[in-house]
Amino acid sequence: MSQFNFTTLGQFIIERQHEFPYAKGELSRILRDIGIAAKVISREVNKAGIAEIIGDTGEVNVQGEDVKKLDMIGNEMFTTTLSRGGEVCAFASEEEDDMIPLKGTYSKHGNYIVCIDPLDGSSNIDVNVSIGTIFSVYRRVTAAGTEPTLADVLQPGNKLVAAGYVIYGSSTMLVYSTGKGVNGFTLDPSIGEFCLSHPDIQVPKDGKIYSLNEGNAADFPAGVQQYIAWCKDKDKNTSRPYSARYIGSMVADLHRNLLKGGIFIYPPTSKAPNGKLRLMFECIPMAFIVEQAGGKAHTGTERVLDVQPKELHQRVPIFIGSENMVNKALGFMNATS
Ligand code: AHG
Ligand code: MN
Ligand code: MN
């Protein structure tokens, strides 16, 4: 293939626009704006270490600006970009207590809602380990032109129109779906464009990687403890023992498992019966991507995408990844419940 024969994210979005529900170009513009926000956040992430050096005591940089935490930079980048666009009427973020109605000139007339986890895996920033951004897009349920309400945001994952994530790793990648499969784009810093690098991602039905914070094992339900023990058993026929891999950034752990096959679990624990991960900002969008790639995502009691959210910062346990691995883990859960 010629070195000039590549597809940028912008080109791909336009080529696929006819597949979108209500194909009026609004969702295309939202996705384009998310791509722009992702590039700016990627730039900020890349200079995270140096910002401390060029800043004065880490509080104020040489231009006299505050050195902001990366999660807040991501948050602001999204609100600013999406307010300008006018297709999005409200925004919800892991970093904000409440939903934010956007104040752009045309925002009230926007038909869409965007939810984000601006920086996922924030504890990994300081140690130069992969982090991410997670986003999801819903169509509002109240009438356009009126003030958006919480009902517009608290929609189950089966109502999503698009979701995706950005991983800031050895390269920056944006992976998204509008419900017609999953495609991945790698940022080429030399031209400043996301280029299609992983078309039609399919998660293998089986894998050899299990990812969870095993340090908490004593607080896990018996089913999860038994599943981990099973993963460690020796059995040539099922390629066990599996490998344990846990980065502590959901985006990075799931991205690896999506490409290689594997399971990621954040189980309920005796201290946190609903687990740790947030339904709206982490579990629903990642479940959408994984299902679109042919995998499975479950809370242990129901499909993640069928959970009706009751509050913005609700948490749920999650078993997500290769279908056969998730089914196996759920088998242990059911046998011990
Ligand atoms: P965030 O940085 O957005 O708060 O998310 C961190 C999450 C998730 O990315 C990761 O999988 C999980 O927390 C790790 O939790 P433990 O440290 O409890 O394993
Ligand atoms: Mn997160
Ligand atoms: Mn976060």
Side-chain angles (χ1 to χ4, degrees):
M1 200 207 287
S2 152
Q3 58 175 317
F4 302 117
N5 190 11
F6 53 80
T7 305
T8 68
L9 176 64
Q11 290 165 336
F12 187 87
I13 290 169
I14 290 166
E15 282 165 18
R16 295 292 178 97
Q17 187 170 305
H18 64 278
E19 290 179 349
F20 300 164
Y22 318 97
K24 283 197 287 182
E26 297 163 291
L27 186 56
S28 297
R29 286 193 289 273
I30 295 171
L31 293 169
R32 178 207 59 193
D33 288 346
I34 289 173
I36 294 169
K39 281 195 253 184
V40 176
I41 299 170
S42 178
R43 184 192 67 197
E44 297 301 318
V45 166
N46 284 334
K47 53 183 203 196
I50 210 76
E52 292 285 314
I53 298 169
I54 59 175
D56 179 12
T57 69
E59 297 291 323
V60 178
N61 69 15
V62 282
Q63 283 89 30
E65 301 159 337
D66 287 344
V67 178
K68 292 195 185 107
K69 286 185 70 188
L70 276 172
D71 351 42
M72 294 319 290
I73 291 178
N75 208 44
E76 265 184 56
M77 189 59 220
F78 271 95
T79 24
T80 312
T81 313
L82 297 173
S83 296
R84 195 178 306 152
E87 294 82 20
V88 179
C89 60
F91 163 85
S93 162
E94 191 196 78
E95 297 297 327
E96 309 273 1
D97 290 343
D98 302 311
M99 167 194 111
I100 314 272
L102 292 181
K103 296 290 171 220
T105 319
Y106 304 106
S107 298
K108 231 163 81 168
H109 299 279
N111 282 313
Y112 292 90
I113 308 286
V114 172
C115 298
I116 65 158
D117 176 354
L119 232 293
D120 174 66
S122 16
S123 66
N124 280 322
I125 299 172
D126 293 345
V127 290
N128 224 340
V129 170
S130 297
I131 48 182
T133 295
I134 307 173
F135 61 89
S136 48
V137 184
Y138 292 93
R139 207 171 154 84
R140 70 183 297 178
V141 291
T142 55
T146 61
E147 269 302 300
T149 72
L150 204 52
D152 292 312
V153 182
L154 295 181
Q155 299 190 54
N158 54 35
K159 294 281 193 321
L160 268 185
V161 290
Y165 62 82
V166 186
I167 174 167
Y168 312 101
S170 41
S171 54
T172 296
M173 266 190 82
L174 187 149
V175 175
Y176 84 98
S177 174
T178 53
K180 306 266 181 208
V182 180
N183 291 284
F185 300 79
T186 302
L187 182 61
D188 179 343
S190 67
I191 57 168
E193 292 282 0
F194 281 107
C195 298
L196 181 63
S197 53
H198 295 66
D200 194 20
I201 297 173
Q202 297 284 327
V203 56
K205 291 286 171 205
D206 266 306
K208 298 174 197 159
I209 295 174
Y210 71 102
S211 316
L212 80 178
N213 188 343
E214 223 177 318
N216 298 328
D219 293 326
F220 289 166
V224 176
Q225 292 182 359
Q226 288 173 16
Y227 176 66
I228 300 172
W230 182 85
C231 291
K232 292 175 176 174
D233 272 352
K234 272 192 180 172
D235 175 26
K236 273 196 201 120
N237 296 326
T238 49
S239 307
R240 287 177 293 146
Y242 294 158
S243 289
R245 293 282 184 274
Y246 191 70
I247 297 168
S249 297
M250 186 196 202
V251 165
D253 277 309
L254 264 178
H255 180 70
R256 180 203 52 238
N257 291 4
L258 194 66
L259 299 184
K260 291 191 169 182
I263 185 170
F264 173 94
I265 305 176
Y266 209 110
T269 63
S270 41
K271 287 183 207 134
N274 295 321
K276 174 184 182 186
L277 298 178
R278 282 137 286 209
L279 176 64
M280 298 299 303
F281 305 112
E282 293 164 322
C283 298
I284 287 179
M286 295 313 267
F288 184 76
I289 292 287
V290 166
E291 281 202 8
Q292 281 295 319
K296 181 163 176 166
H298 211 268
T299 65
T301 46
E302 63 185 313
R303 179 179 173 232
V304 171
L305 296 183
D306 288 338
V307 178
Q308 172 61 54
K310 294 193 182 67
E311 54 189 32
L312 214 48
H313 294 276
Q314 184 174 340
R315 297 169 196 262
V316 288
I318 191 163
F319 300 75
I320 181 169
S322 294
E323 187 178 3
N324 294 343
M325 297 182 85
V326 171
N327 285 339
K328 187 77 190 174
L330 294 176
F332 279 98
M333 289 293 285
N334 291 336
T336 51
S337 60

